[in-house]
Amino acid sequence: MQDTLNILFVGDVVGKPGMEVLRHLLPGLLLKFRIDFCLVNGENVDGGKGISPKLFEEMRTLGVDVVTGGNHSLYRDKILPVMEESPSLLRPFNYPSGTPGYGSGVFDLKLRDRVAVLNLQGRAFMPLTDCPFQTGREEMKRLSTYTKTVLVDFHAEATAEKMAFARYVDGLCSAVIGTHTHVQTADEMILPGGTAYMTDVGMTGAHSGVIGLDTENAIHRFLYVRHGKQATLAKEDLRLSAVLLEIETQTGRTLRIERLQLSP
Ligand SMILES: [Fe+2]
Ligand SMILES: [Fe+2]
């Protein structure tokens, strides 16, 4: 077993611009930071909503170990059979039983190391789901019987919900990293019990519009309740948003957390 693991967590990849920046930057980052395990949130990769089997495969080919999701994970019908078959494509764990797919997994690495990933969805200003706090904590305890390195993608709108959850599970997992708002926060920290926390890792895609949508379309949505003729994505100012974690394998504690935002 290695003493420490280097983890790269990349935030919501949005549409074609997001894939373009991922293709450009990810392989180099995996080498530069000697990444042992990479997870990417892919709930918006297919035109801004959902994920296709082809794009999931491409992410895996680029070196992504696990693709996590959120409220858009189940948007495309074609992905449902893949979700049933592929433990490395996760949707939030706290969906009602009977929902296709997996919400958590344990993954074997080289040298007998293992990493567990748990995907959760918040309930404040989000569609109704089971309680992420209670179900999440129980699942985390189960996962930690396989490995001390347990990573959480907490997909939620409200800062306080994400922060409260991280403090609730401090010491039971290695990191609680937020996704969904598409805006990177500058609050990365390691809590007293050794759990790393960051409210939102941010978006991978075009930053020239409004959280990935093109400006005109986003304004239209607020003025008239619905999207314009076609929900189009922003195209300029490409950036990859991510966080780097160094985790002690014996204890599962995070030793170092570093926020990244890079342009091709
Ligand atoms: Fe998203
Ligand atoms: Fe989302």
Side-chain angles (χ1 to χ4, degrees):
M1 227 163 75
Q2 300 184 71
D3 292 340
T4 60
L5 290 175
N6 294 322
I7 310 286
L8 183 71
F9 185 130
V10 179
D12 305 37
V13 179
V14 180
K16 279 186 186 158
M19 275 311 282
E20 192 183 322
V21 66
L22 199 71
R23 276 181 209 120
H24 233 89
L25 294 179
L26 189 69
L29 289 174
L30 296 178
L31 285 176
K32 181 179 174 190
F33 294 109
R34 296 192 180 136
I35 298 301
D36 298 295
F37 189 83
C38 171
L39 61 159
V40 173
N41 185 297
E43 66 145 5
N44 306 114
V45 68
D46 190 1
K49 273 190 177 175
I51 180 165
S52 65
K54 203 172 147 206
L55 289 166
F56 168 62
E57 272 316 309
E58 187 181 352
M59 283 184 165
R60 297 276 290 142
T61 311
L62 288 172
V64 176
D65 294 289
V66 169
V67 177
T68 54
N71 51 310
H72 290 120
S73 281
L74 306 172
Y75 188 75
R76 309 270 174 202
D77 291 341
K78 273 189 184 166
I79 202 64
L80 301 182
V82 182
M83 241 172 208
E84 297 275 32
E85 276 164 28
S86 311
S88 47
L89 176 62
L90 299 179
R91 48 86 174 151
F93 180 80
N94 54 320
Y95 280 7
S97 62
T99 306
Y102 302 90
S104 66
V106 179
F107 304 92
D108 290 322
L109 311 186
K110 293 170 291 185
L111 304 171
R112 289 187 287 130
D113 280 309
R114 274 176 174 172
V115 173
V117 180
L118 171 60
N119 194 181
L120 294 168
Q121 186 169 305
R123 292 197 292 186
F125 316 111
M126 302 284 286
L128 276 180
T129 57
D130 295 343
C131 176
F133 282 64
Q134 292 175 8
T135 57
R137 192 163 142 142
E138 284 311 304
E139 178 61 4
M140 199 173 281
K141 285 182 188 162
R142 190 187 73 82
L143 293 169
S144 62
T145 62
Y146 296 94
T147 172
K148 296 274 187 205
T149 306
V150 180
L151 310 168
V152 180
D153 174 346
F154 198 99
H155 195 79
E157 187 75 49
T159 302
E161 189 178 16
K162 298 186 207 187
M163 198 178 279
F165 179 80
R167 295 212 180 265
Y168 178 61
V169 298
D170 181 21
L172 295 177
C173 66
S174 307
V176 175
I177 305 297
T179 56
H180 177 71
T181 70
H182 293 195
V183 177
Q184 189 176 71
T185 56
D187 63 343
E188 71 277 17
M189 62 181 112
I190 298 172
L191 302 177
T195 296
Y197 173 71
M198 184 168 165
T199 301
D200 209 293
V201 62
M203 177 184 84
T204 297
H207 284 67
S208 57
V210 179
I211 64 165
L213 283 181
D214 91 292
T215 303
E216 204 184 323
N217 183 45
I219 294 172
H220 189 285
R221 196 174 143 213
F222 285 99
L223 280 174
Y224 306 114
V225 188
R226 59 187 297 278
H227 285 285
K229 274 186 186 157
Q230 211 181 11
T232 43
L233 299 181
K235 294 189 177 73
E236 312 293 323
D237 191 8
L238 298 184
R239 290 183 234 160
L240 177 142
S241 301
V243 67
L244 270 173
L245 303 164
E246 186 187 355
I247 295 169
E248 189 177 53
T249 51
Q250 283 288 337
T251 62
R253 294 175 77 101
T254 295
L255 304 177
R256 201 170 64 85
I257 175 167
E258 187 187 338
R259 142 175 67 92
L260 295 176
Q261 197 163 76
L262 304 161
S263 302

